[in-house]
Amino acid sequence: MAVGSYNYQTVTMASAGSLTSQLDLGGRTWNSVYLRVPTMTSNSAILIQGSVDNSTYSVIKHPPINSATVATNDYTIASAATNVWVPIPNAFRYIKIVVTAGADSGQAFTVLCADNG
């Protein structure tokens, strides 16, 4: 199987920061987008903000799974997920990483976008 195109980027969170600068995932959609979660501050969570024009960002939500409710939930990655790759929504050109508690000094988040052959 051939390896398709890919986009690999890293953004660093400022110490005690809660929002990264934007990542431009390119002017296209990808088959897979993964976020590498570094060691996290305890009791923190990661949210993803998306934008189509790099000016207005909103938290990405997803519908409840197997639920009769009409509410949507934030796409959240818990602090227990540490030093792992996590699939994230892949429809946005621009994203920002948000942490709910101040980040440790210089946390680096890596995003890998790939076409699977």
Side-chain angles (χ1 to χ4, degrees):
M1 178 197 283
V3 175
S5 299
Y6 68 93
N7 178 345
Y8 181 85
Q9 298 181 54
T10 299
V11 65
T12 302
M13 181 81 69
S15 180
S18 62
L19 181 67
T20 67
S21 57
Q22 101 284 348
L23 287 161
D24 183 351
L25 304 184
R28 53 165 298 182
T29 58
W30 297 93
N31 286 340
S32 301
V33 178
Y34 284 83
L35 172 69
R36 184 179 185 287
V37 178
T39 301
M40 292 291 297
T41 303
S42 295
N43 299 319
S44 183
I46 296 173
L47 305 173
I48 309 291
Q49 290 183 350
S51 175
V52 295
D53 59 8
N54 196 25
S55 65
T56 304
Y57 283 83
S58 299
V59 171
I60 297 173
K61 294 187 171 261
H62 64 89
I65 298 170
N66 295 328
S67 173
T69 64
V70 294
T72 57
N73 302 302
D74 292 342
Y75 183 86
T76 304
I77 302 166
S79 63
T82 183
N83 291 316
V84 296
W85 289 94
V86 178
I88 62 173
N90 61 357
F92 294 91
R93 176 168 180 171
Y94 303 97
I95 63 168
K96 291 183 179 182
I97 312 301
V98 181
V99 294
T100 59
D104 292 338
S105 179
Q107 282 183 320
F109 294 90
T110 302
V111 174
L112 174 64
C113 307
D115 288 333
N116 301 332

